[in-house]
């Protein structure tokens, strides 16, 4: 009896499991690619139900035999005390239940037969559709046929296609190309439910200034020396950051700011890019990039935005929603980030893994680019045709999406970093403790000292020379014996050394690092070499391969210090002239200077700048100006210019009667139009007038009317792709306008042309922002 009851219980469990599994296989909304599997499942379900029905009937018969057997033996023994009658009532109840289940199974089997017939019929119809799809001929989708042809040959090249349901049939190609990508029209036989009206977007969370950096340190993570360095820097400057955030909050006076969802992907720290920086952090390697990234993280966090930080490719794929495979398919869901801050390594990784979504979302990317990317190198077609193509350019981004360490080219956005500020007590203490005969050499790697014996010998006549060169076991042979070498110092000890020294001297390399600004902020005079001719990609190996010419701009080791700070804090001399070099050293020893830090390199200055960029820079919705017609009939007239001649007739300004877009940034009334000399870039031209070149204003200059307003004679006017246009070749009276807006550039010159240059004013100590730009 126990055995039979066990068999019954097991049968019931097996029955429920089998039926539940079979009938849960079919769900509303499943892909048509699962139909064949479901039909086979139905065939198996019918067989299972029949076998279960037979098993239950046999069980019922055996229970009936057992009952009769018990009635003919135990019941007639008269031992009803030991075998009460109600003991068998559960068995009788179980038989009734089994009979009911058997009947239900029989009914279900009939229904499954009906479902199976319908499924087979529908499957044949659907199979026919799948096998009989034709490539639609729709002029709105001109690339459809070519994409289908590519899918026929290459759909197995990336597992992501199968992930989206592609199985090698024509219909699966068309479904993918119309519903996942957008090269083909939707198939009419697909379930096309009417699009419900989109609910109104939820109100954006407002950004609030933060007052604690602890959570940021958790977000940065652990496991790399580079990350440890950045966290130490953030902790060290923590109080300055918090004070600066409070000051900016008061300055903005409660202005509404949407909280942005921001992904920070530091590509050069990923294992896939080699991460050459982390192992060198403790060995004197370059720290400028990590200084900048640490300050960017602190600024974005304190401004109140929601951050995700990644330093691995796996984390990047997870945050973006990359489908499994080799990166040819779009993301599985809309990008959840408003902005992505990355570098060139991260940009390449994103392109490799986002498929078509990279083109869709690249307007949200901000590329931290130490030396900058000029428009001539950024435009892929132009760079290829004109010889500007390098390993790092040709991305076709808006040039302002590249963010630099120093404001050397206004074509890019100046991101910057911060240097430590001193309070009044610290400033006075530094001035009183300065050693006028103490110099510190700029350079932690021994190679920088090689060949500098002549300068060092002259300097040693007047000053005690200190170095911070990394060495493991013995003194590097490039460092002379009279130099007091401290080895590689932690940041705070290096700061203490600078606070004692009078002179911080550079020998030409590294270019444009943060150390000279730190030295000047600690009361040092920075002495550097003048380059004649200026270094550029045309004559110097360091700049070759970088997406910037830097023609005439790298006139010294640190052009920003030379151009924006200057004497008495910065001296730039000809190191090939020993007399000039020696005279400069003697004069510097007698010169008294106060610690000085430009406002744009303070915590508040950087917060102010990044706030303005986040609030006003939008490369996704701002439309490009319409391209001019290739040919122009005499009846066509140029639109009236919004510019007017200045009162002294030297340049153009925004006309008081012209309309202003209140959302335009920078505001158009900050614009001035000047004509360059033949050998000058627009960057130089604007600077000579106390202004900054503003590339977003080029669109107002790119008309024939502007030439007329400036009394420039044009015997002919042509539209061409050239990063120097708009410009005029005066000797032949030929005028040129820009055909490609991505090539508008403040950089570059040619002795043949005088360029039309858009200039603007700027805030004192904040060259990135105009006076009304905050």
């Amino acid at each position: 009896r126990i055995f039979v009851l066990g068999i019954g219980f097991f049968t019931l469990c097996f029955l429920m499991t089998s039926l539940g599994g079979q009938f849960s296989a079919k769900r509303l909304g499943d892909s048509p690619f699962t139909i064949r599997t479901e039909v086979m499942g139905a065939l198996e379900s019918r067989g299972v139900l029949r076998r279960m029905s037979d098993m239950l009937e046999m069980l019922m018969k055996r229970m009936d035999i057992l009952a009769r057997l018990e009635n003919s033996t135990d019941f007639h023994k008269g031992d009803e005390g030991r075998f009460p009658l109600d003991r068998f009532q559960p068995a009788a109840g179980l038989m009734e239940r089994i009979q009911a289940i058997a009947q239900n199974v029989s009914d279900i089997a009939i229904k499954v037969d009906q479902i199976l017939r319908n499924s087979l019929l529908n499957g044949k119809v659907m199979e026919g559709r799948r096998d009989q799809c034709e490539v639609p001929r729709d002029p709105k989708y001109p690339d459809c046929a070519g994409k289908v042809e590519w899918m026929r040959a290459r759909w197995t090249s990336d597992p992501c296609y199968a992930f989206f349901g592609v199985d090698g049939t024509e219909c699966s190609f068309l479904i993918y190309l119309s519903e996942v990508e957008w090269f083909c029209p939707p198939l009419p036989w697909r379930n096309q439910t009417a699009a419900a009206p989109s609910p109104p977007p939820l109100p954006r969370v407002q950004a609030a200034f933060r007052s604690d950096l602890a959570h940021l340190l958790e977000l940065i993570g652990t496991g790399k020396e580079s990350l440890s360095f950045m966290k130490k820097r953030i902790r060290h400057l923590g109080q300055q950051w918090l004070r600066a955030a409070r000051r900016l909050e008061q300055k903005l006076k409660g202005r509404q700011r949407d909280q942005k969802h921001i992904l920070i992907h530091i590509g050069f720290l990923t294992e896939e890019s080699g991460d050459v920086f982390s192992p060198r952090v403790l060995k004197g390697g370059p720290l400028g990039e990590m200084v900048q990234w640490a300050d960017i993280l602190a600024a974005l966090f304190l401004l109140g935005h929601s951050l995700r930080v990644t330093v691995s490719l796996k984390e990047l794929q997870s945050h973006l929603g990359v489908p499994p495979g080799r990166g040819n398919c779009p993301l599985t869901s809309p990008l959840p980030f408003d902005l992505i801050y990355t570098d060139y390594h991260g940009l390449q990784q994103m392109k490799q893994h986002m498929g078509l979504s990279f083109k869709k979302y690249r307007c949200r990317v901000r590329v931290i680019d130490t030396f900058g990317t000029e428009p001539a190198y950024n435009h892929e077609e132009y760079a290829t045709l004109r010889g500007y193509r390098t390993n790092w350019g040709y991305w076709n981004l808006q040039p302002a999406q590249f963010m630099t360490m120093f404001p050397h080219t206004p074509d890019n956005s100046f991101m910057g970093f911060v240097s430590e500020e001193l309070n009044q007590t610290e400033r006075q203490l530094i001035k009183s403790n300065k050693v006028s005969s103490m110099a510190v050499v700029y350079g932690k790697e021994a190679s920088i000292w090689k060949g500098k014996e002549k300068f060092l010998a002259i300097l040693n006549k007047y000053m005690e020379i200190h170095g911070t060169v990394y060495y493991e076991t013995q003194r590097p042979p490039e460092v002379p014996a009279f130099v007091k070498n401290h080895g590689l110092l932690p940041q705070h000890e290096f700061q203490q050394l600078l606070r004692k020294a009078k002179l911080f001297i550079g020998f030409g390399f590294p270019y444009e690092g943060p150390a000279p600004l730190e030295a000047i902020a600690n009361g040092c005079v920075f002495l550097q070499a003048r380059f004649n001719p200026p270094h550029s990609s045309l004559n110097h190996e360091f700049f070759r391969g970088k997406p910037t010419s830097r023609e005439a701009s790298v006139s010294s080791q640190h052009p920003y210090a030379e151009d924006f700070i200057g004497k008495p804090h910065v001296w730039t001399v000809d190191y090939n002239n020993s007399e000039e070099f020696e005279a400069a050293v003697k004069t510097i020893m007698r010169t008294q200077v106060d610690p000085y830090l430009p406002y744009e390199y303070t915590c508040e200055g950087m917060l102010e700048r990044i706030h303005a960029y986040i609030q006003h820079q939008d490369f996704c919705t701002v439309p490009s100006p319409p391209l001019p017609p290739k040919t122009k009939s005499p009846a066509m007239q140029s639109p009236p210019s919004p510019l007017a001649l200045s009162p002294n007739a030297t340049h153009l300004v925004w006309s008081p009667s012209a309309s202003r877009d209140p959302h335009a940034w920078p505001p158009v009334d900050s614009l001035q139009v000047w004509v360059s000399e033949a050998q000058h870039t627009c960057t130089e031209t604007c600077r000579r007038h106390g202004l900054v070149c503003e590339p977003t204003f080029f669109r107002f200059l790119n008309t024939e009317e502007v030439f007329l307003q400036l009394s420039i004679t044009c015997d002919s006017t042509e539209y061409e792709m050239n990063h120097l246009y708009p410009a005029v070749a005066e000797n032949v009276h030929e005028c040129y306008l820009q055909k490609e807006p991505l090539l508008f550039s403040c950089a570059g010159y040619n002795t043949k042309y005088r360029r039309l240059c858009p200039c603007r004013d700027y805030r004192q100590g904040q060259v990135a922002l105009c006076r009304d730009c905050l």
Side-chain angles (χ1 to χ4, degrees):
R1 294 189 201 97
I2 293 173
F3 172 76
V4 171
L5 290 174
I7 288 293
F9 178 75
F10 170 77
T11 302
L12 287 172
C13 293
F14 181 74
L15 175 64
M16 288 186 289
T17 303
S18 299
L19 293 180
Q22 293 296 335
F23 284 102
S24 65
K26 177 65 179 173
R27 297 182 303 272
L28 291 177
D30 272 1
S31 167
F33 306 120
T34 62
I35 287 174
R36 184 173 296 170
T37 302
E38 289 163 8
V39 171
M40 293 304 295
L43 288 169
E44 294 171 0
S45 298
R46 185 174 64 177
V48 169
L49 289 168
R50 285 179 175 172
R51 287 194 297 274
M52 295 301 298
S53 179
D54 294 342
M55 187 182 300
L56 287 167
E57 288 180 10
M58 184 178 298
L59 179 62
M60 188 173 61
K61 290 177 181 178
R62 289 182 179 178
M63 290 288 288
D64 186 55
I65 294 171
L66 179 62
R68 287 198 300 270
L69 180 63
E70 291 287 333
N71 286 334
S72 62
T73 55
D74 294 341
F75 271 56
H76 294 284
K77 287 183 179 178
D79 197 0
E80 292 164 343
R82 283 197 318 168
F83 300 99
L85 185 63
D86 58 1
R87 179 177 176 180
F88 295 94
Q89 289 176 353
L94 177 61
M95 288 182 62
E96 292 175 359
R97 291 190 184 96
I98 292 175
Q99 284 179 325
I101 291 171
Q103 183 61 45
N104 288 337
V105 169
S106 179
D107 294 341
I108 291 172
I110 295 171
K111 291 179 181 179
V112 167
D113 278 330
Q114 295 172 349
I115 293 171
L116 178 59
R117 293 189 186 95
N118 293 333
S119 297
L120 288 172
L121 180 61
N122 293 334
K124 289 178 180 178
V125 173
M126 191 64 69
E127 193 70 29
R129 285 178 175 171
R130 296 174 72 228
D131 292 339
Q132 296 174 11
C133 281
E134 295 183 1
V135 179
R137 306 294 177 183
D138 190 332
K140 295 179 182 177
Y141 299 89
D143 299 322
C144 184
K147 291 292 181 179
V148 171
E149 189 66 31
W150 188 95
M151 291 291 288
R152 288 193 193 109
R154 302 291 305 278
W155 76 273
T156 58
S157 64
D158 194 323
C160 72
Y161 297 117
F163 173 81
F164 282 110
V166 177
D167 62 359
T169 61
E170 293 289 291
C171 287
S172 69
F173 298 153
L174 290 171
I175 290 170
Y176 174 83
L177 291 171
S178 62
E179 298 179 12
V180 180
E181 297 184 6
W182 46 87
F183 293 105
C184 295
L187 298 176
W189 53 269
R190 292 282 289 172
N191 289 333
Q192 303 295 330
T193 57
S198 300
L202 296 174
R204 294 296 297 262
V205 175
Q206 291 300 297
F209 283 91
R210 292 190 173 98
S211 58
D212 187 356
L213 288 164
H215 182 55
L216 173 62
L217 300 177
E218 295 177 8
L219 285 175
I220 293 174
T222 58
K224 291 178 180 286
E225 288 293 344
S226 301
L227 299 179
S228 298
F229 173 86
M230 288 191 279
K231 290 165 73 171
K232 287 178 184 176
R233 176 175 175 82
I234 292 171
R235 276 193 290 262
H236 179 69
L237 295 174
Q239 291 305 311
Q240 293 195 22
W241 277 117
L242 294 173
R243 287 194 296 269
R246 288 193 293 268
R247 289 195 296 268
L248 181 58
E249 185 176 16
Q250 293 170 0
K251 189 183 298 185
L252 295 178
K253 298 176 181 177
R255 193 178 306 174
Q256 294 291 298
R257 300 179 301 117
D258 288 343
Q259 186 186 66
K260 304 292 185 182
H261 296 278
I262 300 176
L263 174 66
I264 296 100
H265 175 61
I266 310 176
F268 74 86
L269 292 183
T270 61
E271 298 301 327
E272 289 77 11
S273 69
D275 188 13
V276 297
F277 285 86
S278 292
R280 300 175 65 192
V281 168
L282 302 179
K283 297 182 180 180
L287 302 178
E289 288 85 352
M290 282 171 278
V291 164
Q292 188 180 33
W293 274 109
D295 296 345
I296 291 169
L297 286 164
L300 292 172
F301 183 79
L302 288 174
L303 286 169
H305 299 293
S306 173
L307 308 184
R308 290 289 181 272
V309 183
T310 71
V311 291
S312 79
L313 186 56
K314 185 177 181 180
E315 288 177 326
L316 174 69
Q317 293 172 322
S318 173
H319 286 310
L320 294 179
V322 174
R326 299 188 179 92
N328 289 307
C329 298
L331 302 182
T332 56
S333 58
L335 186 70
F337 300 103
D338 302 301
L339 293 170
I340 299 176
Y341 286 81
T342 188
D343 51 29
Y344 261 122
H345 292 284
L347 195 63
Q348 185 65 46
Q349 291 167 352
M350 288 167 58
K351 183 179 180 182
Q352 289 174 348
H353 293 89
M354 289 177 67
L356 290 174
S357 295
F358 177 77
K359 185 175 182 180
K360 179 179 180 181
Y361 293 120
R362 65 183 177 183
C363 60
R364 303 188 191 183
V365 174
R366 306 294 183 265
V367 185
I368 307 304
D369 177 12
T370 303
F371 293 100
T373 298
E374 294 174 5
Y377 295 80
N378 171 62
H379 191 281
E380 184 174 17
E381 179 186 356
Y382 184 77
T384 303
L385 292 174
R386 300 295 184 93
Y388 290 104
R389 181 146 183 158
T390 67
N391 291 334
W392 300 104
Y394 63 83
W395 286 92
N396 293 323
L397 301 178
Q398 293 292 332
Q401 289 179 252
F402 297 98
M403 311 191 108
T404 58
M405 185 170 280
F406 292 96
H408 39 60
T409 171
D411 295 317
N412 304 147
S413 297
F414 164 44
M415 171 59 77
F417 57 94
V418 305
S419 287
E420 188 170 356
E421 298 177 70
L422 305 175
N423 58 38
Q424 194 59 36
T425 302
E426 291 171 325
R427 292 164 65 90
Q428 291 299 325
L429 188 62
I430 286 175
K431 288 178 67 176
S432 62
N433 290 336
K434 278 290 177 185
V435 180
S436 60
S437 60
M438 178 177 174
V440 176
V441 174
Y442 180 18
K444 295 173 292 186
E445 296 185 0
S447 59
I448 295 171
W449 296 64
K450 191 173 183 179
K452 306 302 187 299
E453 295 83 4
K454 180 180 177 181
F455 311 126
L456 291 168
I458 295 174
L459 185 62
N460 188 46
K461 289 165 54 177
Y462 302 97
M463 307 185 86
E464 180 181 86
I465 305 174
H466 293 251
T468 57
V469 183
Y470 171 79
Y471 61 95
E472 291 184 350
T473 56
Q474 60 183 1
R475 186 185 189 88
E478 294 86 353
V479 181
F482 55 75
V483 174
K484 185 176 182 180
N485 186 24
H486 300 262
L488 195 64
L489 293 177
Q491 187 68 14
H492 69 280
E493 293 184 27
F494 181 64
Q495 294 273 1
Q496 294 302 318
L497 190 65
L498 292 176
R499 292 184 178 188
K500 291 182 181 179
K502 177 73 174 184
L503 177 66
F504 189 63
I505 182 170
F507 287 139
F509 191 83
Y511 295 105
E512 300 177 311
L517 264 67
E518 293 178 351
I520 296 166
N522 282 286
C524 293
V525 174
F526 178 51
L527 177 64
Q528 63 173 347
R530 179 183 297 114
F531 299 150
N532 190 15
H535 291 181
S536 71
S537 61
L538 306 177
N539 62 14
H540 202 273
E541 188 62 32
F542 177 82
F543 289 102
R544 254 179 221 117
K546 293 181 171 60
T548 173
S549 296
R550 301 295 295 276
E551 294 173 342
S553 65
V554 188
S555 56
S556 61
Q557 181 175 352
H558 207 292
Y560 175 85
E562 178 186 6
D563 296 331
F564 289 89
I565 301 177
K567 291 182 179 180
H569 303 280
V570 179
W571 288 62
T572 305
V573 301
D574 182 3
Y575 277 26
N576 293 320
N577 186 328
S578 299
E579 293 180 358
E580 183 182 354
F581 177 81
E582 189 169 356
V585 171
K586 291 191 288 186
T587 305
I588 288 169
M589 291 178 68
R590 298 191 302 268
T591 303
Q592 294 294 322
V593 296
D594 292 330
Y596 173 72
L597 179 62
Y599 174 74
E600 55 201 352
Y601 284 97
T602 65
C603 293
E604 185 176 354
M606 187 168 183
L607 282 170
E608 184 180 277
R609 192 165 55 249
I610 295 182
H611 155 74
Y613 289 154
I614 291 176
Q615 290 299 110
H616 299 293
Q617 284 186 336
D618 186 349
F619 304 110
C620 297
T621 60
V622 177
S624 298
L627 291 178
K630 293 182 180 179
T631 60
K632 200 171 184 181
S633 68
M636 295 177 65
Q637 299 294 325
S638 297
S641 172
L643 305 173
L645 201 62
S646 65
N648 59 5
T650 57
H651 60 283
L652 300 180
V653 297
W654 194 263
S655 173
S657 61
S659 61
R660 291 175 174 82
D661 180 357
H663 302 292
W665 194 83
V668 291
D669 52 6
S670 65
L671 166 64
Q672 296 183 27
V673 182
W674 292 83
V675 183
S676 76
E677 297 298 326
Q679 69 274 22
H680 290 164
T681 66
C682 281
T683 301
E684 294 173 285
T685 299
C686 295
R687 187 178 297 158
R688 284 170 176 260
H689 297 288
L691 303 167
V692 175
C693 182
E694 179 51 64
T696 60
F697 288 153
F698 266 114
R699 65 186 186 273
F700 301 118
L701 283 58
N702 202 40
T703 66
E704 293 182 43
E705 181 70 19
V706 173
F707 289 115
L708 296 175
Q709 289 179 288
L710 290 167
S711 301
I712 296 174
T713 302
C714 298
D715 292 342
S716 65
T717 303
E718 301 291 338
Y719 282 97
E720 292 184 11
M721 270 200 327
N722 191 307
H723 69 288
L724 303 179
Y725 296 165
V728 56
E730 284 192 319
N731 56 335
V732 292
H733 302 295
E734 294 176 348
C735 297
Y736 299 92
L737 297 175
Q738 181 61 257
K739 185 179 179 181
E740 172 51 70
L742 281 181
L743 287 173
F744 283 135
S745 177
C746 294
Y749 72 94
N750 188 308
T751 54
K752 175 182 176 182
Y753 301 119
R754 295 184 68 193
R755 301 189 57 190
L756 301 189
C757 299
C759 308
R760 63 160 170 83
D761 57 34
Y762 59 92
R763 296 169 64 87
Q764 185 65 34
Q766 185 73 288
V767 69
L769 305 180
C770 70
R771 290 172 189 163
D772 297 323
C773 278
L774 188 59

